Amino acid sequence: MRISIFGLGYVGAVCAGCLSSRGHEVVGVDISATKIDLINQGKSPIVEPGLQQLLQQGIQSGRLRGTTDVAAAIAASELSMLCVGTPSKKNGDLALHFIESVCAQVGEALRSKSEWHSVVVRSTVLPGTVKNFIIPILEECSGKRAGIDFGVAVNPEFLRESTAIKDYNFPPMTVIGELDSRSGDLLQDIYQELDAPIVRKSIEVAEMIKYSCNVWHATKVTFANEIGNIAKAAGVDGREVMDVVCQDHKLNLSKYYMKPGFAFGGSCLPKDVRALTYRAGQLDVEAPLLGSLMRSNEAQVQNAFDIITSYDKRRIALLGLSFKAGTDDLRESPLVELAEMLIGKGYDLSIYDRNVEYARVHGANKDYIESKIPHVSSLLDSDLDSVIARAEIIVLGNGDERFRALAQQVPEGKQIVDLVGFMAHTSGAGREGICW
């Protein structure tokens, strides 16, 4: 199939690589000439294991190319996937200016196209957004009618950063929300070869499924963290408790996310919790659990800060800055927030994160690092041994496997604070876990 992908960030770049590797002709579109240049050189604009190899294969085979020309991309494809960002506003609602802009451009390009074309929204949007916001823009700019002259569908992604390619190839399910069956059929053809159930629903149901999944994941993280905090205060290892809770596969569904640890972060969970909570308020629906999730998450960052500062030591090494290992994504990383708290209190802080170090020179996060957190990124050191040697307290911040040995064998004269769960035992001399 001939597919155009708008937005070559974490979702769009992974989709471009995976779809081209499965034989589809893919043209990636982005306003960033830098990203397009990287794609056309077979280089990944983001840190994601295995992605660069897929992009290289796509370029070499001729099945993948990048462009900034929207009209050319629409003309060369029969289905477009919109993968642009939908960040949070200050009030928690979604900012839709990126998707508004791309829909207007796609609509203008559709005006002069006589063949049928389907527009598929992969960006995460609140229920009602496609019907009440996206479709009107497409219809106004194209002069055509959705579902009659062109197709519209929603295809929410369930890709986790650092495991995105595996998640694409082995999804738990494929959700298709369709305005018209023709667009649903096209998407079903794309995903038919994947070993996962295909669920076809209305657009609004599909929009809501994505939020329900992400907010449930955030709820599980929060629940496990609060259980871990209470358990530790009672002299119990919270991990041991939750390991048993997670053995109930009939009622508790899954053990994923159900482990005590540090706060959640990234581009999805915080944004989606805020957005769904905001929408509940608009609808005059009380949602006290959802309303408490971000407060509890923030309290977990404060909890880590309190543990670190309880020791009479000033030199601190923070190992990890991205919100999880295997990615360079710093958006809403709780480790960035923790670093800023330590800087604000005058601690001597050194930071090590090999992926973020890479992103300072290459990739999509370079501008973010330079413009949004220069005071934090200036403390990055590419020499792990040097960072450890200078520190009195070593904070294990994300799950990079190179940090595990420090939790098992504490360097002489150092204090380990484990936010990940590397420690084999509960807190003791020279080491302390956040929930164990």
Side-chain angles (χ1 to χ4, degrees):
M1 190 176 298
R2 295 176 292 119
I3 301 169
S4 52
I5 296 177
F6 289 80
L8 296 175
Y10 284 87
V11 174
V14 170
C15 290
C18 291
L19 286 166
S20 62
S21 73
R22 290 179 173 271
H24 300 283
E25 295 180 28
V26 178
V27 53
V29 188
D30 202 286
I31 60 173
S32 169
T34 299
K35 286 185 183 179
I36 296 303
D37 288 344
L38 288 170
I39 291 291
N40 285 331
Q41 295 171 46
K43 296 179 180 178
S44 176
I46 61 170
V47 174
E48 182 63 42
L51 178 58
Q52 183 142 311
Q53 293 91 319
L54 292 185
L55 296 176
Q56 288 173 346
Q57 292 169 11
I59 294 297
Q60 291 168 0
S61 68
R63 290 193 297 268
L64 172 64
R65 63 184 176 90
T67 183
T68 57
D69 190 332
V70 172
I74 293 294
S77 58
E78 55 196 298
L79 180 146
S80 296
M81 293 184 171
L82 310 186
C83 301
V84 298
T86 51
S88 283
K89 295 179 182 178
K90 288 184 178 180
N91 64 2
D93 195 10
L94 287 187
L96 297 175
H97 52 284
F98 294 130
I99 202 160
E100 179 180 13
S101 176
V102 76
C103 285
Q105 294 176 69
V106 168
E108 289 290 346
L110 288 177
R111 180 180 290 272
S112 58
K113 184 172 184 177
S114 58
E115 297 88 356
W116 174 269
H117 195 96
S118 290
V119 179
V120 177
V121 179
R122 295 216 83 188
S123 303
T124 301
V125 293
L126 285 162
T129 302
V130 170
K131 179 180 179 181
N132 300 319
F133 184 81
I134 291 176
I135 288 177
I137 295 173
L138 290 170
E139 289 185 329
E140 180 180 358
C141 293
S142 68
K144 298 180 177 183
R145 296 166 295 173
I148 299 174
D149 303 313
F150 65 92
V152 177
V154 170
N155 177 214
E157 48 81 21
F158 298 95
L159 307 177
R160 298 166 296 169
E161 292 175 27
S162 78
T163 59
I165 293 173
K166 180 180 179 182
D167 291 342
Y168 182 95
N169 291 325
F170 303 98
M173 60 184 173
T174 297
V175 177
I176 298 170
E178 58 195 61
L179 178 69
D180 54 279
S181 59
R182 187 170 178 178
S183 294
D185 290 344
L186 288 174
L187 284 170
Q188 181 151 339
D189 286 345
I190 291 174
Y191 298 118
Q192 193 69 58
E193 63 181 339
L194 299 179
D195 185 17
I198 294 177
V199 180
R200 295 174 68 165
K201 298 288 184 180
S202 69
I203 282 178
E204 291 82 2
V205 170
E207 290 170 318
M208 189 67 191
I209 287 171
K210 171 65 174 180
Y211 274 97
S212 300
C213 289
N214 276 3
V215 175
W216 171 231
H217 298 331
T219 303
K220 289 188 286 184
V221 173
T222 302
F223 175 76
N225 286 343
E226 292 189 0
I227 292 297
N229 293 337
I230 297 168
K232 180 183 176 182
V236 175
D237 187 335
R239 298 172 300 178
E240 188 176 353
V241 172
M242 292 307 299
D243 281 344
V244 176
V245 171
C246 291
Q247 290 180 31
D248 181 355
H249 293 175
K250 294 183 178 179
L251 298 179
N252 291 340
L253 300 181
S254 167
K255 66 181 181 180
Y256 208 85
Y257 296 112
M258 297 287 280
K259 294 182 179 179
F262 195 40
F264 59 79
S267 61
C268 293
L269 299 192
K271 173 174 71 75
D272 292 351
V273 170
R274 284 195 297 267
L276 194 60
T277 303
Y278 179 86
R279 179 53 56 86
Q282 285 185 317
L283 297 173
D284 291 326
V285 175
E286 290 192 21
L289 171 63
L290 302 188
S292 71
L293 293 181
M294 294 308 299
R295 292 197 303 274
S296 180
N297 202 52
E298 292 161 3
Q300 196 68 347
V301 179
Q302 182 66 49
N303 186 22
F305 177 82
D306 292 342
I307 290 173
I308 294 167
T309 58
S310 67
Y311 297 98
D312 188 22
K313 302 177 187 295
R314 304 296 299 180
R315 296 195 306 275
I316 299 170
L318 179 59
L319 306 188
L321 189 62
S322 60
F323 82 100
K324 65 187 290 190
T327 179
D328 62 338
D329 196 354
L330 298 173
R331 290 174 293 180
E332 301 212 42
S333 170
L335 292 171
V336 171
E337 184 178 349
L338 178 60
E340 291 179 326
M341 294 168 70
L342 292 167
I343 293 169
K345 290 298 183 181
Y347 283 84
D348 182 359
L349 180 64
S350 297
I351 304 171
Y352 174 83
D353 190 311
R354 56 179 171 175
N355 287 326
V356 176
E357 186 66 34
Y358 171 88
R360 284 207 293 182
V361 181
H362 311 281
N365 272 324
K366 183 175 183 291
D367 290 341
Y368 177 89
I369 292 169
E370 292 176 347
S371 63
K372 301 295 185 182
I373 57 166
H375 56 299
V376 175
S377 65
S378 65
L379 302 177
L380 280 164
D381 190 327
S382 60
D383 188 341
L384 176 58
D385 292 336
S386 175
V387 170
I388 292 171
R390 287 198 305 270
E392 297 172 292
I393 299 176
I394 302 170
V395 181
L396 309 182
N398 69 28
D400 190 318
E401 278 298 317
R402 292 195 293 173
F403 305 156
R404 183 181 295 277
L406 293 166
Q408 311 306 326
Q409 185 63 48
V410 179
E412 185 176 354
K414 312 288 186 182
Q415 174 67 44
I416 296 291
V417 175
D418 181 9
L419 307 181
V420 181
F422 283 137
M423 292 166 48
H425 305 290
T426 54
S427 300
R431 70 189 90 191
E432 180 172 2
I434 190 169
C435 290
W436 47 88

